[in-house]
Amino acid sequence: PIFDPISYGVLSVFGSAFHVVQPLVIPGFAFAWLELISHRMFLSNLLSLKGQKGWALAHQLLMDLFLFLEPHLRKIDLTDSMRQLYKGTTRVLLVLLHDYPAFLAGYHLSFCNVIPENCVQLRNLILSAFPRGMVLPDPFTPNLKIDLLPDISKSPLILSNVAGPLTNIRGNLDEYLKNRQPVDFVTSLLQRLYKENGKEVDKAKVNALVLYVGMHAIAKQQNSKISQSLARTPEIEILQKLMDFDDRGRYIALNAIANQLRFPSSHTHYFSCVMLFLFSEAKDEGVREQVTRVLLERLIVHRPHPWGLLITFIELIKNQRYQFWSHPFTRCATEIEKVFESVARSCLTPGSHKTTTVGGPDES
């Protein structure tokens, strides 16, 4: 208590020093650096400061770590040293998931921006975080009415800068969401979502666009039923337009939507309805197949699995409206068929799922 008035000043000096010597600057110091930033006398004290005063600095240091790991994690074969650093990172995230999940949940957007798509379990760890005190309903409860849950109308805390990556399109975007002007905004949208080289889709921009549009839609809808008011809105027009990307771009867009399937909230409810709408209204079978892939690859890895992800997949395979099992891709190969059957069995059989969702305590 004696040091409380100066604790933030002391911790921020150390944090600033750690940022200066981050692994991208001094790779040979990476292991010692990870040990230092995750030390119980530093990270836990930083995250326990009153008023979430230390969260921004902790976020910066974790971003430094992910930015260093990112190019290495894209490779299928990791070197022994990178494998050990990845394991250390996973352990740090597990501690944060248990002790400070609202921190992970608040910054989920920026963390997902720098985690490669192939790191499914790492991303699931972050997306499984939910605030302390929240009790997740069992997603396997028969006839669970999602729209009647008390938390489903509440918006989650978002600490990442959502509008930041959208600087060059935000003016037109806001105008289109407000009054559908300019009329050519949607038709010209995809080319504005590529990086400057024009060859690669800007993942951070797509992630931000999806969340920004969803937040705008939720603010407008208020008490109206999402599933009934989804069609013919400017927001769903934009999200449907993202399905016109090539396979790679569409995969990024669908992952951006799946990243919002988290704990019970207005965001999870809206984006679950969006994902199911895109599946049912898809122009071709390729879109349905990619929707299924994005959901399935997040479920076949080890736990934890985000609550909203389970809710969405269970609805997709159970609701006759979607005719999921009638689509040819579910039977395209014996191995694929077995994977679908196995996941469906674990999702639909009572008693096989009691520890499927993990979240945790947190909040200061």
Side-chain angles (χ1 to χ4, degrees), residues 125-161:
L125 276 177
I126 290 165
L127 299 179
S128 295
F130 60 88
R132 187 195 294 276
M134 179 179 282
V135 178
L136 298 187
D138 187 343
F140 307 93
T141 304
N143 303 315
L144 179 64
K145 301 292 183 187
I146 307 301
D147 49 347
L148 298 180
L149 296 174
D151 291 311
I152 216 68
S153 60
K154 299 175 185 173
S155 293
L157 175 69
I158 303 293
L159 296 172
S160 301
N161 182 3

PDB file of all heavy atoms in Angstrom, residues 125-161:
ATOM      1  N   LEU A 125      -8.047 -19.495 -27.500  1.00  0.00           N
ATOM      2  CA  LEU A 125      -7.755 -19.132 -26.105  1.00  0.00           C
ATOM      3  C   LEU A 125      -8.219 -17.710 -25.814  1.00  0.00           C
ATOM      4  O   LEU A 125      -8.824 -17.446 -24.779  1.00  0.00           O
ATOM      5  CB  LEU A 125      -6.244 -19.237 -25.834  1.00  0.00           C
ATOM      6  CG  LEU A 125      -5.660 -20.596 -25.474  1.00  0.00           C
ATOM      7  CD1 LEU A 125      -4.142 -20.484 -25.327  1.00  0.00           C
ATOM      8  CD2 LEU A 125      -6.262 -21.106 -24.178  1.00  0.00           C
ATOM      9  N   ILE A 126      -7.928 -16.803 -26.734  1.00  0.00           N
ATOM     10  CA  ILE A 126      -8.304 -15.397 -26.545  1.00  0.00           C
ATOM     11  C   ILE A 126      -9.813 -15.213 -26.669  1.00  0.00           C
ATOM     12  O   ILE A 126     -10.440 -14.522 -25.864  1.00  0.00           O
ATOM     13  CB  ILE A 126      -7.552 -14.513 -27.558  1.00  0.00           C
ATOM     14  CG1 ILE A 126      -6.062 -14.467 -27.180  1.00  0.00           C
ATOM     15  CG2 ILE A 126      -8.130 -13.100 -27.613  1.00  0.00           C
ATOM     16  CD1 ILE A 126      -5.152 -13.954 -28.254  1.00  0.00           C
ATOM     17  N   LEU A 127     -10.416 -15.889 -27.645  1.00  0.00           N
ATOM     18  CA  LEU A 127     -11.848 -15.712 -27.892  1.00  0.00           C
ATOM     19  C   LEU A 127     -12.716 -16.437 -26.869  1.00  0.00           C
ATOM     20  O   LEU A 127     -13.921 -16.200 -26.795  1.00  0.00           O
ATOM     21  CB  LEU A 127     -12.197 -16.183 -29.307  1.00  0.00           C
ATOM     22  CG  LEU A 127     -11.482 -15.433 -30.436  1.00  0.00           C
ATOM     23  CD1 LEU A 127     -11.885 -15.997 -31.794  1.00  0.00           C
ATOM     24  CD2 LEU A 127     -11.781 -13.935 -30.385  1.00  0.00           C
ATOM     25  N   SER A 128     -12.128 -17.320 -26.066  1.00  0.00           N
ATOM     26  CA  SER A 128     -12.893 -18.024 -25.030  1.00  0.00           C
ATOM     27  C   SER A 128     -12.992 -17.226 -23.738  1.00  0.00           C
ATOM     28  O   SER A 128     -13.709 -17.620 -22.821  1.00  0.00           O
ATOM     29  CB  SER A 128     -12.236 -19.384 -24.731  1.00  0.00           C
ATOM     30  OG  SER A 128     -12.305 -20.223 -25.852  1.00  0.00           O
ATOM     31  N   ALA A 129     -12.265 -16.125 -23.649  1.00  0.00           N
ATOM     32  CA  ALA A 129     -12.277 -15.327 -22.420  1.00  0.00           C
ATOM     33  C   ALA A 129     -13.630 -14.644 -22.233  1.00  0.00           C
ATOM     34  O   ALA A 129     -14.205 -14.126 -23.189  1.00  0.00           O
ATOM     35  CB  ALA A 129     -11.169 -14.275 -22.488  1.00  0.00           C
ATOM     36  N   PHE A 130     -14.124 -14.672 -21.012  1.00  0.00           N
ATOM     37  CA  PHE A 130     -15.358 -13.939 -20.693  1.00  0.00           C
ATOM     38  C   PHE A 130     -15.231 -13.326 -19.309  1.00  0.00           C
ATOM     39  O   PHE A 130     -14.488 -13.816 -18.465  1.00  0.00           O
ATOM     40  CB  PHE A 130     -16.588 -14.858 -20.791  1.00  0.00           C
ATOM     41  CG  PHE A 130     -16.573 -16.052 -19.866  1.00  0.00           C
ATOM     42  CD1 PHE A 130     -17.082 -15.964 -18.576  1.00  0.00           C
ATOM     43  CD2 PHE A 130     -16.072 -17.271 -20.302  1.00  0.00           C
ATOM     44  CE1 PHE A 130     -17.092 -17.068 -17.728  1.00  0.00           C
ATOM     45  CE2 PHE A 130     -16.071 -18.373 -19.470  1.00  0.00           C
ATOM     46  CZ  PHE A 130     -16.581 -18.282 -18.174  1.00  0.00           C
ATOM     47  N   PRO A 131     -15.949 -12.220 -19.060  1.00  0.00           N
ATOM     48  CA  PRO A 131     -15.758 -11.454 -17.819  1.00  0.00           C
ATOM     49  C   PRO A 131     -16.074 -12.263 -16.567  1.00  0.00           C
ATOM     50  O   PRO A 131     -16.948 -13.126 -16.571  1.00  0.00           O
ATOM     51  CB  PRO A 131     -16.735 -10.284 -17.970  1.00  0.00           C
ATOM     52  CG  PRO A 131     -17.001 -10.187 -19.431  1.00  0.00           C
ATOM     53  CD  PRO A 131     -16.909 -11.573 -19.957  1.00  0.00           C
ATOM     54  N   ARG A 132     -15.372 -11.938 -15.503  1.00  0.00           N
ATOM     55  CA  ARG A 132     -15.607 -12.571 -14.207  1.00  0.00           C
ATOM     56  C   ARG A 132     -17.057 -12.346 -13.776  1.00  0.00           C
ATOM     57  O   ARG A 132     -17.635 -11.290 -13.961  1.00  0.00           O
ATOM     58  CB  ARG A 132     -14.680 -11.957 -13.158  1.00  0.00           C
ATOM     59  CG  ARG A 132     -14.740 -12.678 -11.805  1.00  0.00           C
ATOM     60  CD  ARG A 132     -14.095 -11.814 -10.733  1.00  0.00           C
ATOM     61  NE  ARG A 132     -12.669 -11.612 -10.908  1.00  0.00           N
ATOM     62  CZ  ARG A 132     -11.727 -12.470 -10.498  1.00  0.00           C
ATOM     63  NH1 ARG A 132     -12.076 -13.595  -9.896  1.00  0.00           N
ATOM     64  NH2 ARG A 132     -10.455 -12.195 -10.671  1.00  0.00           N
ATOM     65  N   GLY A 133     -17.632 -13.388 -13.197  1.00  0.00           N
ATOM     66  CA  GLY A 133     -19.000 -13.281 -12.696  1.00  0.00           C
ATOM     67  C   GLY A 133     -20.049 -13.743 -13.685  1.00  0.00           C
ATOM     68  O   GLY A 133     -21.183 -14.025 -13.304  1.00  0.00           O
ATOM     69  N   MET A 134     -19.686 -13.826 -14.961  1.00  0.00           N
ATOM     70  CA  MET A 134     -20.657 -14.295 -15.954  1.00  0.00           C
ATOM     71  C   MET A 134     -20.722 -15.822 -15.916  1.00  0.00           C
ATOM     72  O   MET A 134     -19.695 -16.496 -15.843  1.00  0.00           O
ATOM     73  CB  MET A 134     -20.243 -13.836 -17.359  1.00  0.00           C
ATOM     74  CG  MET A 134     -21.190 -14.307 -18.454  1.00  0.00           C
ATOM     75  SD  MET A 134     -20.695 -13.731 -20.094  1.00  0.00           S
ATOM     76  CE  MET A 134     -21.268 -12.040 -20.047  1.00  0.00           C
ATOM     77  N   VAL A 135     -21.926 -16.362 -15.947  1.00  0.00           N
ATOM     78  CA  VAL A 135     -22.116 -17.814 -15.996  1.00  0.00           C
ATOM     79  C   VAL A 135     -22.604 -18.167 -17.394  1.00  0.00           C
ATOM     80  O   VAL A 135     -23.659 -17.690 -17.833  1.00  0.00           O
ATOM     81  CB  VAL A 135     -23.146 -18.279 -14.942  1.00  0.00           C
ATOM     82  CG1 VAL A 135     -23.367 -19.780 -15.044  1.00  0.00           C
ATOM     83  CG2 VAL A 135     -22.683 -17.897 -13.542  1.00  0.00           C
ATOM     84  N   LEU A 136     -21.837 -18.976 -18.097  1.00  0.00           N
ATOM     85  CA  LEU A 136     -22.219 -19.335 -19.461  1.00  0.00           C
ATOM     86  C   LEU A 136     -23.298 -20.407 -19.449  1.00  0.00           C
ATOM     87  O   LEU A 136     -23.126 -21.450 -18.819  1.00  0.00           O
ATOM     88  CB  LEU A 136     -21.006 -19.865 -20.240  1.00  0.00           C
ATOM     89  CG  LEU A 136     -19.829 -18.917 -20.453  1.00  0.00           C
ATOM     90  CD1 LEU A 136     -18.811 -19.557 -21.369  1.00  0.00           C
ATOM     91  CD2 LEU A 136     -20.279 -17.589 -21.028  1.00  0.00           C
ATOM     92  N   PRO A 137     -24.415 -20.191 -20.142  1.00  0.00           N
ATOM     93  CA  PRO A 137     -25.421 -21.249 -20.251  1.00  0.00           C
ATOM     94  C   PRO A 137     -24.823 -22.434 -21.018  1.00  0.00           C
ATOM     95  O   PRO A 137     -23.992 -22.242 -21.913  1.00  0.00           O
ATOM     96  CB  PRO A 137     -26.541 -20.592 -21.071  1.00  0.00           C
ATOM     97  CG  PRO A 137     -26.242 -19.128 -21.056  1.00  0.00           C
ATOM     98  CD  PRO A 137     -24.778 -18.986 -20.874  1.00  0.00           C
ATOM     99  N   ASP A 138     -25.223 -23.627 -20.656  1.00  0.00           N
ATOM    100  CA  ASP A 138     -24.735 -24.812 -21.362  1.00  0.00           C
ATOM    101  C   ASP A 138     -25.215 -24.750 -22.815  1.00  0.00           C
ATOM    102  O   ASP A 138     -26.421 -24.745 -23.079  1.00  0.00           O
ATOM    103  CB  ASP A 138     -25.293 -26.073 -20.683  1.00  0.00           C
ATOM    104  CG  ASP A 138     -24.698 -27.349 -21.259  1.00  0.00           C
ATOM    105  OD1 ASP A 138     -24.118 -27.284 -22.373  1.00  0.00           O
ATOM    106  OD2 ASP A 138     -24.809 -28.406 -20.613  1.00  0.00           O
ATOM    107  N   PRO A 139     -24.284 -24.657 -23.782  1.00  0.00           N
ATOM    108  CA  PRO A 139     -24.707 -24.522 -25.185  1.00  0.00           C
ATOM    109  C   PRO A 139     -25.442 -25.752 -25.714  1.00  0.00           C
ATOM    110  O   PRO A 139     -26.045 -25.712 -26.779  1.00  0.00           O
ATOM    111  CB  PRO A 139     -23.389 -24.291 -25.939  1.00  0.00           C
ATOM    112  CG  PRO A 139     -22.337 -24.843 -25.054  1.00  0.00           C
ATOM    113  CD  PRO A 139     -22.821 -24.681 -23.648  1.00  0.00           C
ATOM    114  N   PHE A 140     -25.367 -26.860 -24.967  1.00  0.00           N
ATOM    115  CA  PHE A 140     -25.991 -28.103 -25.423  1.00  0.00           C
ATOM    116  C   PHE A 140     -27.383 -28.311 -24.833  1.00  0.00           C
ATOM    117  O   PHE A 140     -27.992 -29.352 -25.023  1.00  0.00           O
ATOM    118  CB  PHE A 140     -25.091 -29.288 -25.069  1.00  0.00           C
ATOM    119  CG  PHE A 140     -23.688 -29.123 -25.574  1.00  0.00           C
ATOM    120  CD1 PHE A 140     -22.698 -28.566 -24.765  1.00  0.00           C
ATOM    121  CD2 PHE A 140     -23.348 -29.485 -26.858  1.00  0.00           C
ATOM    122  CE1 PHE A 140     -21.405 -28.385 -25.237  1.00  0.00           C
ATOM    123  CE2 PHE A 140     -22.058 -29.302 -27.335  1.00  0.00           C
ATOM    124  CZ  PHE A 140     -21.089 -28.760 -26.530  1.00  0.00           C
ATOM    125  N   THR A 141     -27.874 -27.314 -24.102  1.00  0.00           N
ATOM    126  CA  THR A 141     -29.220 -27.400 -23.545  1.00  0.00           C
ATOM    127  C   THR A 141     -30.244 -27.481 -24.675  1.00  0.00           C
ATOM    128  O   THR A 141     -30.236 -26.631 -25.578  1.00  0.00           O
ATOM    129  CB  THR A 141     -29.539 -26.148 -22.693  1.00  0.00           C
ATOM    130  OG1 THR A 141     -28.542 -26.010 -21.686  1.00  0.00           O
ATOM    131  CG2 THR A 141     -30.921 -26.250 -22.052  1.00  0.00           C
ATOM    132  N   PRO A 142     -31.123 -28.503 -24.680  1.00  0.00           N
ATOM    133  CA  PRO A 142     -32.129 -28.614 -25.748  1.00  0.00           C
ATOM    134  C   PRO A 142     -33.030 -27.382 -25.778  1.00  0.00           C
ATOM    135  O   PRO A 142     -33.424 -26.848 -24.743  1.00  0.00           O
ATOM    136  CB  PRO A 142     -32.933 -29.867 -25.345  1.00  0.00           C
ATOM    137  CG  PRO A 142     -32.028 -30.634 -24.434  1.00  0.00           C
ATOM    138  CD  PRO A 142     -31.193 -29.615 -23.721  1.00  0.00           C
ATOM    139  N   ASN A 143     -33.303 -26.900 -26.999  1.00  0.00           N
ATOM    140  CA  ASN A 143     -34.209 -25.762 -27.211  1.00  0.00           C
ATOM    141  C   ASN A 143     -33.789 -24.499 -26.434  1.00  0.00           C
ATOM    142  O   ASN A 143     -34.629 -23.751 -25.944  1.00  0.00           O
ATOM    143  CB  ASN A 143     -35.643 -26.131 -26.826  1.00  0.00           C
ATOM    144  CG  ASN A 143     -36.142 -27.338 -27.596  1.00  0.00           C
ATOM    145  OD1 ASN A 143     -35.943 -27.415 -28.805  1.00  0.00           O
ATOM    146  ND2 ASN A 143     -36.753 -28.281 -26.902  1.00  0.00           N
ATOM    147  N   LEU A 144     -32.482 -24.294 -26.329  1.00  0.00           N
ATOM    148  CA  LEU A 144     -31.976 -23.094 -25.657  1.00  0.00           C
ATOM    149  C   LEU A 144     -32.360 -21.847 -26.462  1.00  0.00           C
ATOM    150  O   LEU A 144     -32.069 -21.760 -27.659  1.00  0.00           O
ATOM    151  CB  LEU A 144     -30.446 -23.177 -25.524  1.00  0.00           C
ATOM    152  CG  LEU A 144     -29.727 -22.001 -24.862  1.00  0.00           C
ATOM    153  CD1 LEU A 144     -30.151 -21.865 -23.408  1.00  0.00           C
ATOM    154  CD2 LEU A 144     -28.204 -22.177 -24.959  1.00  0.00           C
ATOM    155  N   LYS A 145     -33.046 -20.920 -25.840  1.00  0.00           N
ATOM    156  CA  LYS A 145     -33.480 -19.685 -26.521  1.00  0.00           C
ATOM    157  C   LYS A 145     -32.425 -18.595 -26.303  1.00  0.00           C
ATOM    158  O   LYS A 145     -32.392 -17.932 -25.271  1.00  0.00           O
ATOM    159  CB  LYS A 145     -34.832 -19.223 -25.962  1.00  0.00           C
ATOM    160  CG  LYS A 145     -35.950 -20.242 -26.104  1.00  0.00           C
ATOM    161  CD  LYS A 145     -36.325 -20.449 -27.558  1.00  0.00           C
ATOM    162  CE  LYS A 145     -37.514 -21.415 -27.680  1.00  0.00           C
ATOM    163  NZ  LYS A 145     -37.787 -21.762 -29.094  1.00  0.00           N
ATOM    164  N   ILE A 146     -31.569 -18.438 -27.298  1.00  0.00           N
ATOM    165  CA  ILE A 146     -30.452 -17.507 -27.169  1.00  0.00           C
ATOM    166  C   ILE A 146     -30.941 -16.071 -26.964  1.00  0.00           C
ATOM    167  O   ILE A 146     -30.406 -15.323 -26.146  1.00  0.00           O
ATOM    168  CB  ILE A 146     -29.563 -17.550 -28.439  1.00  0.00           C
ATOM    169  CG1 ILE A 146     -29.146 -18.986 -28.759  1.00  0.00           C
ATOM    170  CG2 ILE A 146     -28.330 -16.671 -28.267  1.00  0.00           C
ATOM    171  CD1 ILE A 146     -28.392 -19.671 -27.681  1.00  0.00           C
ATOM    172  N   ASP A 147     -31.985 -15.691 -27.713  1.00  0.00           N
ATOM    173  CA  ASP A 147     -32.415 -14.294 -27.655  1.00  0.00           C
ATOM    174  C   ASP A 147     -33.102 -13.918 -26.348  1.00  0.00           C
ATOM    175  O   ASP A 147     -33.369 -12.741 -26.105  1.00  0.00           O
ATOM    176  CB  ASP A 147     -33.333 -13.973 -28.842  1.00  0.00           C
ATOM    177  CG  ASP A 147     -34.445 -15.008 -29.020  1.00  0.00           C
ATOM    178  OD1 ASP A 147     -34.355 -16.078 -28.405  1.00  0.00           O
ATOM    179  OD2 ASP A 147     -35.396 -14.729 -29.776  1.00  0.00           O
ATOM    180  N   LEU A 148     -33.355 -14.915 -25.477  1.00  0.00           N
ATOM    181  CA  LEU A 148     -33.979 -14.624 -24.188  1.00  0.00           C
ATOM    182  C   LEU A 148     -32.971 -14.570 -23.038  1.00  0.00           C
ATOM    183  O   LEU A 148     -33.336 -14.290 -21.899  1.00  0.00           O
ATOM    184  CB  LEU A 148     -35.060 -15.683 -23.873  1.00  0.00           C
ATOM    185  CG  LEU A 148     -36.242 -15.754 -24.861  1.00  0.00           C
ATOM    186  CD1 LEU A 148     -37.221 -16.834 -24.435  1.00  0.00           C
ATOM    187  CD2 LEU A 148     -36.944 -14.403 -24.974  1.00  0.00           C
ATOM    188  N   LEU A 149     -31.696 -14.846 -23.329  1.00  0.00           N
ATOM    189  CA  LEU A 149     -30.670 -14.809 -22.280  1.00  0.00           C
ATOM    190  C   LEU A 149     -30.469 -13.369 -21.809  1.00  0.00           C
ATOM    191  O   LEU A 149     -30.452 -12.435 -22.628  1.00  0.00           O
ATOM    192  CB  LEU A 149     -29.347 -15.369 -22.802  1.00  0.00           C
ATOM    193  CG  LEU A 149     -29.339 -16.853 -23.197  1.00  0.00           C
ATOM    194  CD1 LEU A 149     -27.998 -17.224 -23.827  1.00  0.00           C
ATOM    195  CD2 LEU A 149     -29.612 -17.745 -21.999  1.00  0.00           C
ATOM    196  N   PRO A 150     -30.303 -13.156 -20.498  1.00  0.00           N
ATOM    197  CA  PRO A 150     -30.173 -11.788 -19.986  1.00  0.00           C
ATOM    198  C   PRO A 150     -28.972 -11.031 -20.541  1.00  0.00           C
ATOM    199  O   PRO A 150     -29.024  -9.801 -20.715  1.00  0.00           O
ATOM    200  CB  PRO A 150     -30.062 -11.977 -18.461  1.00  0.00           C
ATOM    201  CG  PRO A 150     -29.719 -13.425 -18.256  1.00  0.00           C
ATOM    202  CD  PRO A 150     -30.299 -14.160 -19.416  1.00  0.00           C
ATOM    203  N   ASP A 151     -27.860 -11.730 -20.821  1.00  0.00           N
ATOM    204  CA  ASP A 151     -26.639 -11.045 -21.283  1.00  0.00           C
ATOM    205  C   ASP A 151     -26.642 -10.773 -22.780  1.00  0.00           C
ATOM    206  O   ASP A 151     -25.760 -10.073 -23.284  1.00  0.00           O
ATOM    207  CB  ASP A 151     -25.400 -11.877 -20.932  1.00  0.00           C
ATOM    208  CG  ASP A 151     -25.140 -11.912 -19.436  1.00  0.00           C
ATOM    209  OD1 ASP A 151     -25.155 -10.823 -18.830  1.00  0.00           O
ATOM    210  OD2 ASP A 151     -24.946 -13.009 -18.878  1.00  0.00           O
ATOM    211  N   ILE A 152     -27.611 -11.351 -23.504  1.00  0.00           N
ATOM    212  CA  ILE A 152     -27.550 -11.309 -24.968  1.00  0.00           C
ATOM    213  C   ILE A 152     -27.819  -9.918 -25.529  1.00  0.00           C
ATOM    214  O   ILE A 152     -27.504  -9.629 -26.680  1.00  0.00           O
ATOM    215  CB  ILE A 152     -28.516 -12.354 -25.585  1.00  0.00           C
ATOM    216  CG1 ILE A 152     -27.912 -12.965 -26.854  1.00  0.00           C
ATOM    217  CG2 ILE A 152     -29.884 -11.766 -25.857  1.00  0.00           C
ATOM    218  CD1 ILE A 152     -26.715 -13.837 -26.638  1.00  0.00           C
ATOM    219  N   SER A 153     -28.385  -9.032 -24.710  1.00  0.00           N
ATOM    220  CA  SER A 153     -28.657  -7.667 -25.188  1.00  0.00           C
ATOM    221  C   SER A 153     -27.568  -6.679 -24.788  1.00  0.00           C
ATOM    222  O   SER A 153     -27.601  -5.511 -25.166  1.00  0.00           O
ATOM    223  CB  SER A 153     -30.005  -7.181 -24.646  1.00  0.00           C
ATOM    224  OG  SER A 153     -29.975  -7.184 -23.225  1.00  0.00           O
ATOM    225  N   LYS A 154     -26.570  -7.167 -24.021  1.00  0.00           N
ATOM    226  CA  LYS A 154     -25.503  -6.272 -23.551  1.00  0.00           C
ATOM    227  C   LYS A 154     -24.320  -6.302 -24.516  1.00  0.00           C
ATOM    228  O   LYS A 154     -23.906  -7.367 -24.971  1.00  0.00           O
ATOM    229  CB  LYS A 154     -25.038  -6.696 -22.157  1.00  0.00           C
ATOM    230  CG  LYS A 154     -26.140  -6.628 -21.098  1.00  0.00           C
ATOM    231  CD  LYS A 154     -25.646  -7.186 -19.776  1.00  0.00           C
ATOM    232  CE  LYS A 154     -26.763  -7.254 -18.731  1.00  0.00           C
ATOM    233  NZ  LYS A 154     -26.332  -7.944 -17.513  1.00  0.00           N
ATOM    234  N   SER A 155     -23.758  -5.135 -24.780  1.00  0.00           N
ATOM    235  CA  SER A 155     -22.579  -5.071 -25.649  1.00  0.00           C
ATOM    236  C   SER A 155     -21.312  -5.301 -24.838  1.00  0.00           C
ATOM    237  O   SER A 155     -21.190  -4.788 -23.725  1.00  0.00           O
ATOM    238  CB  SER A 155     -22.496  -3.707 -26.336  1.00  0.00           C
ATOM    239  OG  SER A 155     -23.558  -3.559 -27.241  1.00  0.00           O
ATOM    240  N   PRO A 156     -20.362  -6.068 -25.381  1.00  0.00           N
ATOM    241  CA  PRO A 156     -19.120  -6.321 -24.651  1.00  0.00           C
ATOM    242  C   PRO A 156     -18.187  -5.116 -24.671  1.00  0.00           C
ATOM    243  O   PRO A 156     -18.312  -4.240 -25.537  1.00  0.00           O
ATOM    244  CB  PRO A 156     -18.500  -7.495 -25.428  1.00  0.00           C
ATOM    245  CG  PRO A 156     -19.008  -7.320 -26.820  1.00  0.00           C
ATOM    246  CD  PRO A 156     -20.397  -6.727 -26.690  1.00  0.00           C
ATOM    247  N   LEU A 157     -17.262  -5.094 -23.720  1.00  0.00           N
ATOM    248  CA  LEU A 157     -16.249  -4.034 -23.673  1.00  0.00           C
ATOM    249  C   LEU A 157     -15.249  -4.249 -24.811  1.00  0.00           C
ATOM    250  O   LEU A 157     -14.674  -5.327 -24.954  1.00  0.00           O
ATOM    251  CB  LEU A 157     -15.522  -4.088 -22.325  1.00  0.00           C
ATOM    252  CG  LEU A 157     -14.349  -3.126 -22.126  1.00  0.00           C
ATOM    253  CD1 LEU A 157     -14.844  -1.686 -22.044  1.00  0.00           C
ATOM    254  CD2 LEU A 157     -13.568  -3.488 -20.867  1.00  0.00           C
ATOM    255  N   ILE A 158     -15.065  -3.233 -25.658  1.00  0.00           N
ATOM    256  CA  ILE A 158     -14.090  -3.298 -26.752  1.00  0.00           C
ATOM    257  C   ILE A 158     -13.027  -2.231 -26.496  1.00  0.00           C
ATOM    258  O   ILE A 158     -13.326  -1.028 -26.508  1.00  0.00           O
ATOM    259  CB  ILE A 158     -14.747  -3.056 -28.127  1.00  0.00           C
ATOM    260  CG1 ILE A 158     -15.871  -4.063 -28.396  1.00  0.00           C
ATOM    261  CG2 ILE A 158     -13.691  -3.107 -29.235  1.00  0.00           C
ATOM    262  CD1 ILE A 158     -15.414  -5.484 -28.571  1.00  0.00           C
ATOM    263  N   LEU A 159     -11.803  -2.665 -26.234  1.00  0.00           N
ATOM    264  CA  LEU A 159     -10.720  -1.724 -25.930  1.00  0.00           C
ATOM    265  C   LEU A 159      -9.812  -1.463 -27.137  1.00  0.00           C
ATOM    266  O   LEU A 159      -9.058  -0.496 -27.149  1.00  0.00           O
ATOM    267  CB  LEU A 159      -9.891  -2.252 -24.760  1.00  0.00           C
ATOM    268  CG  LEU A 159     -10.651  -2.371 -23.421  1.00  0.00           C
ATOM    269  CD1 LEU A 159      -9.804  -3.084 -22.380  1.00  0.00           C
ATOM    270  CD2 LEU A 159     -11.062  -1.000 -22.910  1.00  0.00           C
ATOM    271  N   SER A 160      -9.862  -2.332 -28.129  1.00  0.00           N
ATOM    272  CA  SER A 160      -9.058  -2.131 -29.338  1.00  0.00           C
ATOM    273  C   SER A 160      -9.599  -0.946 -30.128  1.00  0.00           C
ATOM    274  O   SER A 160     -10.781  -0.596 -30.024  1.00  0.00           O
ATOM    275  CB  SER A 160      -9.097  -3.384 -30.224  1.00  0.00           C
ATOM    276  OG  SER A 160      -8.602  -4.511 -29.544  1.00  0.00           O
ATOM    277  N   ASN A 161      -8.740  -0.348 -30.933  1.00  0.00           N
ATOM    278  CA  ASN A 161      -9.141   0.763 -31.798  1.00  0.00           C
ATOM    279  C   ASN A 161      -9.812   0.203 -33.054  1.00  0.00           C
ATOM    280  O   ASN A 161      -9.140  -0.161 -34.011  1.00  0.00           O
ATOM    281  CB  ASN A 161      -7.921   1.609 -32.158  1.00  0.00           C
ATOM    282  CG  ASN A 161      -8.281   2.812 -33.022  1.00  0.00           C
ATOM    283  OD1 ASN A 161      -9.449   3.051 -33.305  1.00  0.00           O
ATOM    284  ND2 ASN A 161      -7.277   3.552 -33.452  1.00  0.00           N
TER     285      ASN A 161
END
